[in-house]
């Protein structure tokens, strides 16, 4: 512990504030994210037998974690459990199930807050998640805070390996310390379209991770790997000519979408990934959940009806706020490609707008007073619903097939999407199936 403090010039502390939140203090890495969770909802700092708490930290890439200090205690004469600390896939500290009085924990039972600490000395890669899990097995353990002591290594030129998922891989090196690297363009395949580069490998998912675009300058915090991300089809792009059908409704400015029906005069929103292209349009790069889907019934070239598919409720209006009524919206195309959806409220007009109100808890969709002739942008984006898959391995991951040399001449065939992988005498060949 003393050695960790001597080496480290930075520390970050996460103090338990409730059963599902922590207060953050100290020198927290810029852009890092914390998630705190537990399996029960009792006293905020108490872990009862059979339950566990988990602290997850993201965005620590480039740091060297020197030591970890847990502020803990047990009951007066009892309390047992286990601890696991992982950085990425690496187990850096583990205490098998044992009494708190065991030397692996504190060495004695106590109801006073004490430090349980360990030297770590581990580099954190860009894609690594730091995960700390404490599980109680007997009576109770208590956790008050987590403190990580860390430092940044001396700056050097970093190397970035580009894993394309195909044969065309390359390695980029910064021209000078901190100069970053310009990301190359990827290749499309017959069935997959290149999207961008990710700090995380993606096997098969309906959700696109955060991607860095080809031509963008990427600034690595350490030597690392970026994986290509491919999509199995054209993206969900916001359209200008809306026809009746199923859509996700979003805001490019806020990077959020509408979810569910009307509650207290507003519609809640959720953060999503929307990529702006060079023409000023937007592409949806996230999953589409049931509560994000709306049916749009276009009645004329200037009126429409909105309905939440999951809640089976209208998104309409009454007076100066949103409501589940039979009212019909007016709409017009705005200069930024979004739709201005609005209605007349007496002598005034109000628009379906995504933003923050004095009464809302965060970003919501609400009825904002406007002058129709001055509506220019920041309306609602309409994304036609499409199912998409994302992967870093458009032809399959070769490491997933055993490199077996059979003693006979028999050819083995492995189905692989629209391809077949043929293996004979240790040699592999890929064949496109007849469509």
């Amino acid at each position: 512990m003393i050695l960790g403090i001597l080496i480290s010039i930075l520390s970050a502390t996460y103090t338990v504030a409730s059963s599902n939140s922590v207060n953050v203090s100290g020198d927290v890495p810029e852009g890092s994210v914390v998630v705190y969770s537990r399996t029960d909802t009792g006293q905020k700092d108490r872990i009862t037998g059979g339950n566990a708490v988990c602290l997850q930290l993201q965005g620590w890439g480039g740091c060297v974690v020197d030591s970890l200090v847990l502020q803990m205690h047990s009951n007066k004469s009892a309390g047992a459990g286990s601890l696991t600390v992982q950085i990425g896939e690496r187990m850096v500290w583990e205490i098998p199930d044992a009494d708190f009085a065991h030397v692996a924990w504190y060495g004695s039972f106590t109801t006073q807050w004490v430090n349980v600490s360990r030297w770590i000395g581990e580099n954190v890669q860009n894609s690594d998640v730091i995960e700390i899990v404490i599980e109680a097995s007997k009576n109770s353990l208590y956790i008050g805070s987590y403190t990580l002591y860390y430092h940044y290594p001396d700056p050097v030129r970093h190397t970035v390996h580009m894993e394309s998922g195909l044969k065309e891989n390359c390695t980029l090196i910064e021209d000078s310390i901190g100069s970053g690297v310009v990301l190359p363009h990827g290749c499309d395949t017959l069935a997959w379209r290149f999207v961008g580069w990710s700090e995380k490998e993606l096997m098969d998912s309906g959700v696109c991770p955060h991607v860095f675009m080809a031509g963008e300058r990427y600034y690595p915090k350490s030597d690392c790997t970026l994986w290509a991300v491919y999509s199995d089809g054209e993206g969900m792009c916001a359209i200008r000519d809306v026809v009746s059908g199923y859509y996700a409704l979003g805001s490019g400015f806020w990077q959020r979408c509408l979810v569910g029906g009307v509650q207290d005069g507003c519609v809640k929103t959720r953060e999503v990934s929307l990529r702006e292209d060079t023409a000023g349009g937007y592409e949806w790069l996230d999953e589409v959940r049931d509560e994000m889907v709306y049916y749009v019934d276009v009645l004329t070239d200037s009126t429409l009806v909105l309905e939440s598919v999951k809640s089976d409720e209208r998104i309409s209006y009454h007076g100066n706020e949103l409501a589940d009524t039979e009212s019909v919206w007016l709409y017009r195309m705005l200069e930024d490609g979004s739709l201005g959806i609005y209605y007349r409220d007496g002598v005034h007009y109000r628009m379906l707008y995504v933003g923050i109100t004095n009464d809302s808890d965060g970003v919501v969709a609400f009825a904002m007073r406007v002058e129709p002739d001055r509506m220019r942008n920041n309306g609602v984006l309409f994304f036609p619903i499409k199912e998409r898959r994302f992967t870093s391995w458009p032809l399959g991951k070769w490491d997933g097939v055993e490199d077996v040399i059979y003693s006979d001449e028999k050819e083995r065939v492995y189905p692989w999407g629209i391809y077949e992988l043929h293996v004979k005498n240790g040699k592999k060949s890929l064949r496109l199936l007849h469509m």
Side-chain angles (χ1 to χ4, degrees):
M1 175 58 199
I2 295 177
L3 182 59
I5 294 176
L6 291 176
I7 290 179
S8 300
I9 58 174
L10 301 170
S11 67
T13 298
Y14 300 87
T15 303
V16 177
S18 70
S19 61
N20 60 4
S21 67
V22 291
N23 292 327
V24 184
S25 61
D27 308 297
V28 180
E30 184 178 357
S32 62
V33 177
V34 57
V35 176
Y36 182 69
S37 60
R38 59 188 295 143
T39 58
D40 65 344
T41 57
Q43 184 178 328
K44 66 177 183 179
D45 54 6
R46 182 183 182 187
I47 315 168
T48 56
N51 288 295
V53 296
C54 177
L55 183 79
Q56 290 184 318
L57 306 176
Q58 301 179 38
W60 279 64
C63 302
V64 179
V65 177
D66 298 314
S67 59
L68 171 61
V69 180
L70 307 175
Q71 186 186 57
M72 299 184 65
H73 71 79
S74 63
N75 290 334
K76 183 176 181 180
S77 58
S82 60
L83 167 73
T84 59
V85 181
Q86 287 188 244
I87 297 181
E89 299 298 323
R90 306 177 299 283
M91 184 74 70
V92 298
W93 185 10
E94 182 177 15
I95 299 178
D97 189 17
D99 286 340
F100 197 72
H102 192 280
V103 67
W105 282 105
Y106 182 65
S108 64
F109 295 113
T110 178
T111 57
Q112 302 297 314
W113 289 111
V114 295
N115 289 338
V116 177
S117 60
R118 172 69 174 256
W119 170 258
I120 302 296
E122 187 77 20
N123 290 279
V124 184
Q125 304 302 315
N126 285 351
S127 60
D128 286 345
V129 176
I130 302 174
E131 183 176 84
I132 305 169
V133 178
I134 305 171
E135 183 174 0
S137 60
K138 186 189 306 181
N139 295 106
S140 299
L141 296 178
Y142 299 79
I143 176 68
S145 66
Y146 308 72
T147 299
L148 290 85
Y149 292 90
Y150 70 99
H151 72 276
Y152 290 99
D154 293 335
V156 296
R157 291 193 305 158
H158 291 306
T159 298
V160 182
H161 175 68
M162 313 300 296
E163 175 56 69
S164 71
L166 305 170
K167 291 183 179 180
E168 299 78 11
N169 297 324
C170 65
T171 297
L172 307 177
I173 303 175
E174 291 183 293
D175 293 331
S176 59
I177 295 173
S179 65
V181 296
V182 177
L183 302 180
H185 290 270
C187 297
D188 295 341
T189 72
L190 185 64
W192 295 85
R193 182 174 66 90
F194 174 77
V195 178
W197 300 95
S198 171
E199 293 178 338
K200 296 182 179 181
E201 180 183 11
L202 196 65
M203 297 306 297
D204 179 49
S205 175
V207 182
C208 183
H210 175 74
V211 292
F212 300 91
M213 299 295 103
E216 182 178 347
R217 185 168 290 274
Y218 174 74
Y219 297 92
K221 298 178 182 178
S222 61
D223 292 346
C224 63
T225 296
L226 293 183
W227 284 268
V229 175
Y230 301 86
S231 168
D232 65 352
E234 293 298 323
M236 284 173 47
C237 295
I239 64 172
R240 294 174 177 267
D241 298 322
V242 176
V243 296
S244 296
Y246 295 92
Y247 296 84
L249 309 180
S251 165
F253 177 81
W254 291 101
Q255 292 281 298
R256 301 186 76 88
C257 71
L258 278 64
V259 290
V262 179
Q263 298 181 26
D264 299 324
C266 300
V267 175
K268 293 184 178 179
T269 68
R270 177 175 295 165
E271 185 176 3
V272 290
S273 178
L274 306 178
R275 180 176 67 179
E276 187 173 9
D277 60 29
T278 55
Y282 285 90
E283 180 180 3
W284 182 288
L285 291 178
D286 223 314
E287 67 178 328
V288 180
R289 302 182 182 181
D290 291 346
E291 62 269 25
M292 300 176 180
V293 180
Y294 294 85
Y295 181 72
V296 180
D297 189 6
V298 178
L299 305 178
T300 69
D301 61 357
S302 61
T303 61
L304 57 78
V305 171
L306 295 179
E307 182 178 302
S308 169
V309 172
K310 184 173 183 179
S311 65
D312 196 26
E313 296 174 342
R314 284 279 193 96
I315 308 299
S316 192
Y317 52 86
H318 178 72
N320 63 357
E321 63 180 16
L322 302 184
D324 177 14
T325 69
E326 299 294 323
S327 302
V328 175
W329 293 95
L330 299 168
Y331 77 91
R332 68 172 59 171
M333 181 60 60
L334 304 184
E335 294 176 359
D336 65 351
S338 64
L339 262 67
I341 304 175
Y342 63 104
Y343 67 95
R344 186 164 185 168
D345 177 23
V347 297
H348 303 297
Y349 287 88
R350 296 186 183 275
M351 172 183 175
L352 180 62
Y353 187 80
V354 178
I356 299 175
T357 72
N358 292 332
D359 300 325
S360 65
D361 182 16
V363 179
V364 297
F366 64 101
M368 184 181 74
R369 182 174 166 181
V370 295
E371 295 182 29
D373 293 340
R374 295 188 178 182
M375 291 192 302
R376 297 287 185 270
N377 49 42
N378 295 331
V380 177
L381 298 171
F382 281 64
F383 297 89
I385 299 298
K386 296 180 182 178
E387 290 189 8
R388 300 173 69 192
R389 305 302 299 174
F390 299 91
T391 186
S392 296
W393 303 96
L395 304 182
K397 188 170 182 179
W398 295 104
D399 293 343
V401 178
E402 295 181 3
D403 192 6
V404 179
I405 299 179
Y406 296 95
S407 58
D408 58 273
E409 296 293 324
K410 183 177 179 181
E411 183 177 57
R412 269 72 178 180
V413 179
Y414 299 86
W416 210 299
I418 64 171
Y419 300 89
E420 285 182 344
L421 180 65
H422 292 246
V423 182
K424 185 175 182 179
N425 291 332
K427 295 182 179 180
K428 306 184 184 77
S429 62
L430 197 65
R431 300 180 188 177
L432 176 65
L433 297 175
H434 295 291
M435 303 302 287

